[in-house]
Amino acid sequence: MSPAIHNRAFAELGLDFVYLAFRVEEVKAAMEGMRALENFTGLSVTIPHKTAVIPHLDDIATVDATIGSVNTVVKTGGRVKGLGTDGPGARRALTECGVALEDRDILLLGSGGAARAIAFDLAFHARPSALTILGVIPDELDALERDLKQKTEVSVTSALVTDASLEQNVENAQVLIHATPVGMHPNTEESVVPDNLLRSDLAVMDIVYNPLETRLLKDAAKRGAKTISGLEMFVNQAVLQFEAWTGQEAPVEVMREVVLANLG
Amino acid sequence: MSPAIHNRAFAELGLDFVYLAFRVEEVKAAMEGMRALENFTGLSVTIPHKTAVIPHLDDIATVDATIGSVNTVVKTGGRVKGLGTDGPGARRALTECGVALEDRDILLLGSGGAARAIAFDLAFHARPSALTILGVIPDELDALERDLKQKTEVSVTSALVTDASLEQNVENAQVLIHATPVGMHPNTEESVVPDNLLRSDLAVMDIVYNPLETRLLKDAAKRGAKTISGLEMFVNQAVLQFEAWTGQEAPVEVMREVVLANLG
C-alpha cells in the first residue's frame, strides 16, 4: 500500500518524488546503490531487512539503535540515516486521538517487532508511570523486558498472558495497546482480552487494521471505551516517513483516504 | 529529455514502468544497486560514464565492445547487458527514410563519440561499399580508422577536413552523415560542407537536432537532396532503448511528438 499512499501524497503537494517498490535480497548492494544514485532521497525498509540495513547507515536515532531495527531511510547531504516510524506512529495516533500517556499506566499486549518498537518509543518519549507487557513467547518477552530495563528508565514489568494476568493488568491500566496479530482477517472474531475486562475509562488501541474495527475494538466501544484503530497508526507511520523524506507537512487526510480506499 | 520521452511512451502502452534521472559519480555502486533493486529493469548511461560502465556488465554486444561505450543497460533474468543505440538509431533513421546503405559510398564527417558509434554500426551491419571519414582531430581520426580496419571488414579511408578533401569525397558519396557539433545552436549559420558540393542524388543526415533544420540540411534541401534530421536519430535511439527495456514495440509517433514539444 505504501506506493499508493506516498505517490498520492506527493501528487497532492506537487512534489517531484516517486515511490517505487523493489524486491531486494542484497541489502548492502541496494544501500550502496542508493548512495550512488544521488537524488535517491529515501526508502522504506520492510521485513526481512529491518535489522540487516543498520550496518549500512551513517546515522541512526538512539531509540532505533536500541530497538535494533528501522523501517525508514533518508539521505541528506550524502549522509544516510535510519529511523523507525512504527513506534512514533503509534504514539502520534494515540495523542492525536486525545489519549494522554504521561504518568499513565500503559498495558502492552505482545512482544514481537511492533510491540518492541512501541515499547521503546514509549519508554524514550512518553514518560508513562508504568509499562506492563503481556506476551506468549517467554524468551522474546524476557528479552524485551530486560532490554527496556537496561537501556531506558521506564518502570517495566512483564508476564505471560493468562486469565489472571489479564484481569489484574487491564484493571490497573488507563491505556491498552494490542500489538499481536490476534483478530486479524480472517480470524476476525478473536480477541486477547475478555470483553468483561473493558471499561469506559480505558483507551484501547489495536495495531491490527484489517479489519478496521477488530473484535477487541468492538468490545471496547460497547463498554464505552475510547478506541483507536490500527488505521491511525498505519497512516501516522506513513506520515512520519513522508515528512522525513520531503521535509514537508504530510497531507494526512489524503493519505488516510488512500488507505481506506485500498482496505475497502 | 529522456524521462519525458520514455514516461510518455510507457503511459501510451499502459506499462508499469517509470524513467527517472539520477546524478551518478560512483558507477560501480550504482550498477551494484541496479542489480540489488531487483525490478530495476534498465537504464540509460550518459557522458561521462559510457565507457566506465562496461566492466560492470555481464554481457555486451560485440559491436559495442569494439566501440568501447554503451548508452543503454538492460537487466534480464539477473544478467546485466549493455548496448549502444546511437549507431543503430542513426541507421534506422536512414533506412526508415528510404536511404539504402548497402553497396553505397558513405561519407562520415567527424571522429568523436557519435561518429565512432555510427561508423562501427555501419561497418558491422550496413555493408557499405566504402566508408570515408573526414575529421579535424588527427589522433582521434587515425585511431578510428585503425580500429575499423583491425576489427571490421569495412573498406575505410580517412582524411583531415579540407576544401579539397570535402570536394572529392562529397562528390564520391551517395550518403553523407554529419556527426560533429557544427551548426548546433547558437551557431546555427555554420556548416562543414560548402553548399555548392551538395546535389539532388545525395542523402544528407545531420545528427544535430537543435535546430531541427540545420544550415547543412537547409542547403541540402535547396539542392534537392534527401535530408534526414538529427531528430530522427534521436527518436530512434530512444525507440531502441525502449524496446530493449520493455520488449514491446515502441510508440514512435508519440515519442517523436514529445521530442518536438520539448524542442519547441
Side-chain angles (χ1 to χ4, degrees):
Chain A
M1 203 164 349
S2 289
I5 299 169
H6 291 296
N7 286 325
R8 179 72 183 78
F10 296 146
E12 179 73 14
L13 299 193
L15 299 175
D16 187 17
F17 284 78
V18 63
Y19 185 104
L20 304 171
F22 290 102
R23 255 186 66 84
V24 167
E25 290 188 2
E26 302 296 335
V27 176
K28 179 173 189 282
M31 293 304 295
E32 284 172 355
M34 185 214 191
R35 290 175 190 271
L37 302 171
E38 292 187 8
N39 39 320
F40 193 155
T41 301
L43 49 83
S44 302
V45 189
T46 59
I47 291 167
H49 300 316
K50 287 182 169 196
T51 297
V53 75
I54 293 178
H56 308 293
L57 304 171
D58 297 317
D59 301 295
I60 183 170
T62 309
V63 59
D64 301 308
T66 308
I67 294 166
S69 72
V70 300
N71 71 340
T72 308
V73 173
V74 58
K75 189 170 62 177
T76 315
R79 286 188 79 81
V80 173
K81 179 175 181 178
L83 63 150
T85 67
D86 287 331
R91 179 163 43 92
R92 184 167 152 148
L94 287 162
T95 53
E96 297 228 325
C97 291
V99 178
L101 301 171
E102 192 169 342
D103 295 330
R104 296 303 197 276
D105 280 14
I106 302 179
L107 174 60
L108 178 64
L109 304 179
S111 58
R116 186 176 175 88
I118 291 169
F120 275 97
D121 178 77
L122 293 172
F124 270 77
H125 299 298
R127 304 187 199 192
S129 52
L131 177 63
T132 305
I133 307 173
L134 302 184
V136 295
I137 303 171
D139 288 353
E140 187 181 77
L141 185 62
D142 291 347
L144 179 53
E145 182 184 351
R146 188 187 60 237
D147 289 350
L148 284 162
K149 284 184 166 151
Q150 284 180 353
K151 298 172 183 172
T152 78
E153 300 186 342
V154 76
S155 167
V156 61
T157 55
S158 75
L160 289 174
V161 169
T162 63
D163 288 350
S165 71
L166 278 168
E167 184 170 348
Q168 180 196 330
N169 288 293
V170 175
E171 188 178 338
N172 289 343
Q174 290 92 54
V175 180
L176 186 159
I177 302 172
H178 172 251
T180 89
V182 172
M184 193 181 291
H185 183 83
N187 305 311
T188 55
E189 283 309 303
E190 297 180 2
S191 172
V192 175
V193 186
D195 96 291
N196 65 304
L197 300 183
L198 301 166
R199 54 180 210 280
S200 64
D201 62 341
L202 190 68
V204 180
M205 182 165 88
D206 199 332
I207 74 161
V208 173
Y209 59 83
N210 182 16
L212 283 176
E213 192 177 31
T214 57
R215 172 72 188 275
L216 170 63
L217 293 188
K218 275 185 201 167
D219 291 344
K222 272 189 205 153
R223 299 277 174 166
K226 176 173 284 193
T227 61
I228 303 98
S229 81
L231 171 73
E232 294 306 315
M233 172 175 160
F234 186 76
V235 168
N236 276 293
Q237 64 79 25
V239 160
L240 293 169
Q241 291 192 307
F242 184 95
E243 295 180 348
W245 296 325
T246 67
Q248 309 254 343
E249 194 178 335
V252 184
E253 289 313 314
V254 162
M255 294 170 80
R256 183 180 287 111
E257 281 166 24
V258 175
V259 179
L260 284 170
N262 275 273
L263 289 176
Chain B
M1 202 162 353
S2 290
I5 299 170
H6 291 296
N7 286 325
R8 180 72 183 79
F10 296 146
E12 179 73 14
L13 299 192
L15 299 175
D16 187 16
F17 282 79
V18 63
Y19 185 105
L20 304 171
F22 290 102
R23 256 186 64 85
V24 167
E25 290 187 3
E26 302 296 335
V27 175
K28 179 173 189 284
M31 293 304 295
E32 284 172 356
M34 184 210 190
R35 290 175 190 269
L37 302 172
E38 293 187 8
N39 39 320
F40 193 154
T41 301
L43 50 82
S44 303
V45 189
T46 59
I47 292 167
H49 300 317
K50 288 182 168 193
T51 297
V53 76
I54 292 178
H56 308 292
L57 304 172
D58 298 317
D59 302 295
I60 184 170
T62 309
V63 58
D64 299 307
T66 309
I67 294 166
S69 72
V70 300
N71 72 337
T72 307
V73 173
V74 58
K75 189 170 64 178
T76 315
R79 287 190 76 81
V80 173
K81 179 174 181 179
L83 62 150
T85 67
D86 286 331
R91 180 163 44 91
R92 184 168 151 147
L94 287 161
T95 53
E96 297 228 326
C97 290
V99 178
L101 300 170
E102 191 169 343
D103 297 329
R104 296 302 199 276
D105 281 16
I106 302 178
L107 174 59
L108 178 62
L109 304 178
S111 58
R116 186 175 175 89
I118 292 169
F120 275 96
D121 177 79
L122 293 172
F124 270 77
H125 298 298
R127 303 186 199 195
S129 52
L131 176 61
T132 305
I133 307 173
L134 303 184
V136 295
I137 303 172
D139 288 354
E140 187 181 76
L141 185 62
D142 290 347
L144 178 52
E145 182 186 350
R146 187 187 62 235
D147 289 349
L148 283 162
K149 282 184 167 151
Q150 283 178 356
K151 298 170 183 174
T152 80
E153 299 185 341
V154 74
S155 167
V156 60
T157 54
S158 77
L160 290 173
V161 169
T162 62
D163 289 350
S165 70
L166 278 168
E167 182 170 348
Q168 181 198 330
N169 288 293
V170 175
E171 187 177 338
N172 288 344
Q174 289 92 53
V175 180
L176 185 159
I177 302 171
H178 173 250
T180 89
V182 172
M184 191 181 292
H185 184 82
N187 305 311
T188 56
E189 282 309 303
E190 296 180 2
S191 172
V192 174
V193 186
D195 96 290
N196 64 304
L197 300 183
L198 301 166
R199 54 181 209 279
S200 63
D201 63 340
L202 190 67
V204 179
M205 182 165 88
D206 199 332
I207 73 161
V208 172
Y209 59 83
N210 182 14
L212 284 175
E213 191 175 31
T214 57
R215 171 71 189 274
L216 169 62
L217 293 187
K218 274 185 202 170
D219 290 346
K222 270 188 208 155
R223 297 279 175 164
K226 175 174 286 194
T227 61
I228 303 98
S229 82
L231 171 73
E232 294 306 315
M233 172 175 161
F234 186 76
V235 169
N236 277 292
Q237 65 78 26
V239 161
L240 294 168
Q241 290 191 307
F242 184 96
E243 295 181 347
W245 295 325
T246 67
Q248 308 254 344
E249 193 176 335
V252 184
E253 289 312 316
V254 162
M255 294 170 79
R256 183 180 286 112
E257 280 165 25
V258 175
V259 180
L260 284 170
N262 275 273
L263 290 176

Short mmCIF file of all heavy atoms in Angstrom, two decimals, chain B residues 172-215:
data_model
loop_
_atom_site.label_atom_id
_atom_site.label_comp_id
_atom_site.label_asym_id
_atom_site.label_seq_id
_atom_site.Cartn_x
_atom_site.Cartn_y
_atom_site.Cartn_z
N ASN B 172 32.11 11.77 -54.37
CA ASN B 172 32.10 10.30 -54.48
C ASN B 172 30.97 9.62 -53.69
O ASN B 172 30.69 8.45 -53.92
CB ASN B 172 33.42 9.73 -53.95
CG ASN B 172 34.58 10.03 -54.91
OD1 ASN B 172 34.36 10.38 -56.06
ND2 ASN B 172 35.80 9.91 -54.40
N ALA B 173 30.38 10.34 -52.73
CA ALA B 173 29.45 9.70 -51.79
C ALA B 173 28.01 9.73 -52.30
O ALA B 173 27.61 10.62 -53.04
CB ALA B 173 29.54 10.39 -50.44
N GLN B 174 27.27 8.71 -51.89
CA GLN B 174 25.81 8.74 -52.08
C GLN B 174 25.09 9.11 -50.77
O GLN B 174 23.94 9.52 -50.78
CB GLN B 174 25.29 7.37 -52.56
CG GLN B 174 25.67 7.02 -53.99
CD GLN B 174 26.97 6.23 -54.02
OE1 GLN B 174 27.10 5.22 -53.35
NE2 GLN B 174 27.94 6.72 -54.78
N VAL B 175 25.80 8.90 -49.65
CA VAL B 175 25.21 9.19 -48.34
C VAL B 175 26.22 10.01 -47.53
O VAL B 175 27.39 9.63 -47.44
CB VAL B 175 24.88 7.90 -47.57
CG1 VAL B 175 24.27 8.22 -46.20
CG2 VAL B 175 23.94 7.00 -48.38
N LEU B 176 25.76 11.13 -46.98
CA LEU B 176 26.64 11.98 -46.16
C LEU B 176 26.03 12.07 -44.77
O LEU B 176 24.85 12.41 -44.62
CB LEU B 176 26.75 13.36 -46.81
CG LEU B 176 27.72 14.38 -46.18
CD1 LEU B 176 28.07 15.45 -47.22
CD2 LEU B 176 27.19 15.04 -44.92
N ILE B 177 26.83 11.73 -43.77
CA ILE B 177 26.36 11.81 -42.38
C ILE B 177 27.24 12.80 -41.63
O ILE B 177 28.46 12.59 -41.52
CB ILE B 177 26.42 10.43 -41.69
CG1 ILE B 177 25.58 9.41 -42.45
CG2 ILE B 177 25.95 10.54 -40.24
CD1 ILE B 177 25.76 7.96 -41.96
N HIS B 178 26.62 13.87 -41.17
CA HIS B 178 27.37 14.88 -40.42
C HIS B 178 27.26 14.57 -38.93
O HIS B 178 26.17 14.61 -38.35
CB HIS B 178 26.81 16.28 -40.70
CG HIS B 178 27.43 17.32 -39.83
ND1 HIS B 178 26.72 17.96 -38.82
CD2 HIS B 178 28.70 17.80 -39.77
CE1 HIS B 178 27.53 18.80 -38.19
NE2 HIS B 178 28.73 18.73 -38.75
N ALA B 179 28.40 14.26 -38.30
CA ALA B 179 28.42 13.85 -36.88
C ALA B 179 29.40 14.69 -36.08
O ALA B 179 30.20 14.18 -35.30
CB ALA B 179 28.74 12.37 -36.77
N THR B 180 29.33 16.01 -36.29
CA THR B 180 30.11 16.95 -35.45
C THR B 180 29.12 17.95 -34.86
O THR B 180 27.96 17.99 -35.27
CB THR B 180 31.18 17.73 -36.27
OG1 THR B 180 30.60 18.93 -36.79
CG2 THR B 180 31.75 16.89 -37.40
N PRO B 181 29.54 18.77 -33.89
CA PRO B 181 28.61 19.76 -33.31
C PRO B 181 28.40 21.01 -34.17
O PRO B 181 27.61 21.87 -33.80
CB PRO B 181 29.29 20.14 -31.99
CG PRO B 181 30.46 19.23 -31.83
CD PRO B 181 30.83 18.73 -33.17
N VAL B 182 29.08 21.08 -35.32
CA VAL B 182 28.99 22.31 -36.12
C VAL B 182 27.53 22.55 -36.56
O VAL B 182 26.87 21.63 -37.04
CB VAL B 182 29.92 22.24 -37.35
CG1 VAL B 182 29.67 23.42 -38.29
CG2 VAL B 182 31.37 22.20 -36.90
N GLY B 183 27.06 23.78 -36.38
CA GLY B 183 25.70 24.14 -36.77
C GLY B 183 24.70 24.06 -35.64
O GLY B 183 23.55 24.45 -35.78
N MET B 184 25.18 23.54 -34.50
CA MET B 184 24.29 23.44 -33.33
C MET B 184 24.04 24.84 -32.76
O MET B 184 24.89 25.72 -32.85
CB MET B 184 24.98 22.55 -32.27
CG MET B 184 24.08 22.12 -31.11
SD MET B 184 25.03 21.12 -29.92
CE MET B 184 25.32 19.63 -30.89
N HIS B 185 22.87 25.04 -32.21
CA HIS B 185 22.53 26.28 -31.53
C HIS B 185 23.64 26.65 -30.56
O HIS B 185 24.09 25.79 -29.82
CB HIS B 185 21.22 26.09 -30.76
CG HIS B 185 20.73 27.33 -30.09
ND1 HIS B 185 20.03 28.31 -30.75
CD2 HIS B 185 20.88 27.77 -28.81
CE1 HIS B 185 19.75 29.29 -29.91
NE2 HIS B 185 20.26 29.00 -28.73
N PRO B 186 24.14 27.87 -30.46
CA PRO B 186 23.66 29.07 -31.15
C PRO B 186 24.33 29.32 -32.50
O PRO B 186 24.05 30.35 -33.12
CB PRO B 186 24.01 30.18 -30.16
CG PRO B 186 25.29 29.71 -29.54
CD PRO B 186 25.22 28.20 -29.51
N ASN B 187 25.21 28.42 -32.94
CA ASN B 187 25.97 28.68 -34.18
C ASN B 187 25.23 28.13 -35.39
O ASN B 187 25.76 27.34 -36.16
CB ASN B 187 27.36 28.09 -34.06
CG ASN B 187 28.09 28.60 -32.82
OD1 ASN B 187 28.12 29.80 -32.57
ND2 ASN B 187 28.61 27.68 -32.01
N THR B 188 23.99 28.56 -35.54
CA THR B 188 23.08 27.91 -36.48
C THR B 188 23.38 28.24 -37.94
O THR B 188 22.79 27.62 -38.83
CB THR B 188 21.62 28.32 -36.17
OG1 THR B 188 21.54 29.74 -36.19
CG2 THR B 188 21.21 27.79 -34.80
N GLU B 189 24.29 29.20 -38.18
CA GLU B 189 24.60 29.53 -39.58
C GLU B 189 25.83 28.78 -40.09
O GLU B 189 26.22 28.94 -41.24
CB GLU B 189 24.78 31.04 -39.74
CG GLU B 189 23.45 31.79 -39.77
CD GLU B 189 22.48 31.16 -40.80
OE1 GLU B 189 22.84 31.07 -41.99
OE2 GLU B 189 21.38 30.73 -40.39
N GLU B 190 26.42 27.95 -39.23
CA GLU B 190 27.65 27.25 -39.64
C GLU B 190 27.34 25.90 -40.27
O GLU B 190 26.38 25.22 -39.91
CB GLU B 190 28.55 27.05 -38.42
CG GLU B 190 29.03 28.37 -37.82
CD GLU B 190 29.95 28.17 -36.61
OE1 GLU B 190 30.23 27.01 -36.26
OE2 GLU B 190 30.35 29.19 -36.03
N SER B 191 28.20 25.52 -41.22
CA SER B 191 28.11 24.20 -41.83
C SER B 191 29.50 23.76 -42.25
O SER B 191 30.32 24.58 -42.68
CB SER B 191 27.18 24.23 -43.05
OG SER B 191 27.25 22.99 -43.73
N VAL B 192 29.78 22.49 -42.12
CA VAL B 192 31.08 21.96 -42.54
C VAL B 192 31.17 21.89 -44.07
O VAL B 192 32.25 22.05 -44.65
CB VAL B 192 31.29 20.53 -41.96
CG1 VAL B 192 32.57 19.90 -42.50
CG2 VAL B 192 31.31 20.59 -40.43
N VAL B 193 30.03 21.70 -44.72
CA VAL B 193 30.03 21.38 -46.16
C VAL B 193 29.64 22.60 -46.99
O VAL B 193 28.53 23.13 -46.83
CB VAL B 193 29.03 20.24 -46.45
CG1 VAL B 193 29.14 19.79 -47.90
CG2 VAL B 193 29.26 19.06 -45.50
N PRO B 194 30.52 23.08 -47.88
CA PRO B 194 30.14 24.17 -48.79
C PRO B 194 28.89 23.78 -49.59
O PRO B 194 28.82 22.66 -50.10
CB PRO B 194 31.35 24.31 -49.71
CG PRO B 194 32.49 23.71 -48.95
CD PRO B 194 31.89 22.61 -48.13
N ASP B 195 27.95 24.70 -49.69
CA ASP B 195 26.65 24.30 -50.23
C ASP B 195 26.72 23.92 -51.69
O ASP B 195 25.89 23.13 -52.16
CB ASP B 195 25.60 25.37 -49.92
CG ASP B 195 25.41 26.31 -51.07
OD1 ASP B 195 26.33 27.11 -51.34
OD2 ASP B 195 24.33 26.22 -51.68
N ASN B 196 27.74 24.41 -52.41
CA ASN B 196 27.83 24.07 -53.84
C ASN B 196 28.22 22.62 -54.08
O ASN B 196 28.10 22.10 -55.19
CB ASN B 196 28.82 25.00 -54.55
CG ASN B 196 30.24 24.82 -54.03
OD1 ASN B 196 30.49 24.94 -52.83
ND2 ASN B 196 31.16 24.49 -54.92
N LEU B 197 28.66 21.91 -53.01
CA LEU B 197 29.02 20.49 -53.18
C LEU B 197 27.80 19.58 -53.07
O LEU B 197 27.86 18.39 -53.42
CB LEU B 197 30.04 20.06 -52.11
CG LEU B 197 31.38 20.82 -52.10
CD1 LEU B 197 32.29 20.23 -51.02
CD2 LEU B 197 32.04 20.74 -53.48
N LEU B 198 26.70 20.12 -52.58
CA LEU B 198 25.50 19.29 -52.34
C LEU B 198 24.74 19.12 -53.65
O LEU B 198 24.78 19.97 -54.53
CB LEU B 198 24.63 19.96 -51.26
CG LEU B 198 25.37 20.13 -49.93
CD1 LEU B 198 24.63 21.08 -49.00
CD2 LEU B 198 25.59 18.77 -49.26
N ARG B 199 24.04 17.98 -53.76
CA ARG B 199 23.34 17.71 -55.03
C ARG B 199 22.16 16.79 -54.77
O ARG B 199 22.05 16.14 -53.72
CB ARG B 199 24.33 17.09 -56.05
CG ARG B 199 25.04 15.89 -55.51
CD ARG B 199 26.04 15.28 -56.48
NE ARG B 199 26.11 13.85 -56.18
CZ ARG B 199 26.83 13.33 -55.17
NH1 ARG B 199 27.58 14.12 -54.42
NH2 ARG B 199 26.78 12.05 -54.93
N SER B 200 21.30 16.68 -55.74
CA SER B 200 20.00 16.02 -55.52
C SER B 200 20.10 14.52 -55.33
O SER B 200 19.21 13.92 -54.73
CB SER B 200 19.04 16.34 -56.66
OG SER B 200 19.57 15.80 -57.87
N ASP B 201 21.16 13.88 -55.80
CA ASP B 201 21.25 12.42 -55.62
C ASP B 201 22.07 12.04 -54.39
O ASP B 201 22.57 10.92 -54.28
CB ASP B 201 21.81 11.75 -56.89
CG ASP B 201 23.23 12.22 -57.18
OD1 ASP B 201 23.63 13.29 -56.68
OD2 ASP B 201 23.94 11.51 -57.93
N LEU B 202 22.17 12.98 -53.46
CA LEU B 202 22.87 12.72 -52.21
C LEU B 202 21.84 12.68 -51.08
O LEU B 202 20.90 13.46 -51.08
CB LEU B 202 23.86 13.87 -51.95
CG LEU B 202 24.88 13.74 -50.82
CD1 LEU B 202 25.90 12.63 -51.11
CD2 LEU B 202 25.60 15.08 -50.64
N ALA B 203 21.98 11.70 -50.17
CA ALA B 203 21.16 11.71 -48.95
C ALA B 203 22.02 12.31 -47.84
O ALA B 203 23.18 11.90 -47.67
CB ALA B 203 20.72 10.31 -48.57
N VAL B 204 21.46 13.28 -47.11
CA VAL B 204 22.24 14.00 -46.09
C VAL B 204 21.55 13.88 -44.73
O VAL B 204 20.41 14.30 -44.56
CB VAL B 204 22.36 15.51 -46.45
CG1 VAL B 204 23.16 16.24 -45.37
CG2 VAL B 204 23.01 15.67 -47.82
N MET B 205 22.27 13.26 -43.79
CA MET B 205 21.76 13.22 -42.42
C MET B 205 22.63 14.07 -41.52
O MET B 205 23.86 14.02 -41.60
CB MET B 205 21.73 11.80 -41.87
CG MET B 205 21.13 11.78 -40.44
SD MET B 205 20.66 10.15 -39.86
CE MET B 205 22.20 9.62 -39.15
N ASP B 206 21.99 14.86 -40.64
CA ASP B 206 22.72 15.65 -39.65
C ASP B 206 22.33 15.10 -38.29
O ASP B 206 21.15 14.94 -38.00
CB ASP B 206 22.30 17.13 -39.77
CG ASP B 206 23.32 18.05 -39.12
OD1 ASP B 206 24.01 17.62 -38.17
OD2 ASP B 206 23.43 19.20 -39.58
N ILE B 207 23.32 14.80 -37.44
CA ILE B 207 22.95 14.30 -36.11
C ILE B 207 22.57 15.45 -35.16
O ILE B 207 22.01 15.22 -34.11
CB ILE B 207 24.05 13.42 -35.45
CG1 ILE B 207 25.23 14.25 -34.98
CG2 ILE B 207 24.48 12.30 -36.39
CD1 ILE B 207 26.07 13.51 -33.95
N VAL B 208 22.88 16.69 -35.57
CA VAL B 208 22.45 17.84 -34.76
C VAL B 208 20.93 17.96 -34.87
O VAL B 208 20.37 17.87 -35.96
CB VAL B 208 23.12 19.13 -35.28
CG1 VAL B 208 22.54 20.36 -34.57
CG2 VAL B 208 24.64 19.06 -35.08
N TYR B 209 20.25 18.12 -33.71
CA TYR B 209 18.79 18.25 -33.76
C TYR B 209 18.29 19.57 -33.17
O TYR B 209 17.09 19.79 -33.05
CB TYR B 209 18.09 17.06 -33.10
CG TYR B 209 18.42 16.83 -31.64
CD1 TYR B 209 17.78 17.54 -30.64
CD2 TYR B 209 19.38 15.88 -31.27
CE1 TYR B 209 18.08 17.33 -29.31
CE2 TYR B 209 19.69 15.66 -29.95
CZ TYR B 209 19.04 16.38 -28.97
OH TYR B 209 19.35 16.16 -27.65
N ASN B 210 19.23 20.43 -32.82
CA ASN B 210 18.85 21.74 -32.30
C ASN B 210 19.72 22.78 -32.98
O ASN B 210 20.86 22.96 -32.58
CB ASN B 210 19.05 21.78 -30.78
CG ASN B 210 18.62 23.10 -30.17
OD1 ASN B 210 17.96 23.88 -30.83
ND2 ASN B 210 19.02 23.33 -28.94
N PRO B 211 19.27 23.41 -34.06
CA PRO B 211 17.90 23.43 -34.58
C PRO B 211 17.54 22.15 -35.35
O PRO B 211 18.44 21.42 -35.76
CB PRO B 211 17.90 24.63 -35.53
CG PRO B 211 19.31 24.66 -36.04
CD PRO B 211 20.17 24.26 -34.86
N LEU B 212 16.25 21.96 -35.55
CA LEU B 212 15.80 20.78 -36.30
C LEU B 212 16.31 20.83 -37.74
O LEU B 212 16.71 19.81 -38.28
CB LEU B 212 14.27 20.72 -36.32
CG LEU B 212 13.59 20.24 -35.04
CD1 LEU B 212 12.09 20.35 -35.16
CD2 LEU B 212 14.00 18.79 -34.75
N GLU B 213 16.26 22.02 -38.33
CA GLU B 213 16.80 22.13 -39.70
C GLU B 213 18.08 22.96 -39.63
O GLU B 213 18.05 24.19 -39.53
CB GLU B 213 15.78 22.77 -40.65
CG GLU B 213 16.25 22.62 -42.10
CD GLU B 213 15.25 23.13 -43.13
OE1 GLU B 213 14.50 24.08 -42.83
OE2 GLU B 213 15.25 22.58 -44.24
N THR B 214 19.19 22.27 -39.66
CA THR B 214 20.48 22.95 -39.60
C THR B 214 20.78 23.63 -40.93
O THR B 214 20.13 23.38 -41.95
CB THR B 214 21.60 21.94 -39.31
OG1 THR B 214 21.56 20.94 -40.34
CG2 THR B 214 21.39 21.26 -37.95
N ARG B 215 21.78 24.46 -40.90
CA ARG B 215 22.25 25.10 -42.14
C ARG B 215 22.57 24.04 -43.19
O ARG B 215 22.19 24.17 -44.37
CB ARG B 215 23.48 25.95 -41.81
CG ARG B 215 24.21 26.52 -43.00
CD ARG B 215 23.42 27.63 -43.69
NE ARG B 215 24.07 27.98 -44.94
CZ ARG B 215 25.07 28.88 -45.03
NH1 ARG B 215 25.50 29.50 -43.94
NH2 ARG B 215 25.63 29.15 -46.20
#
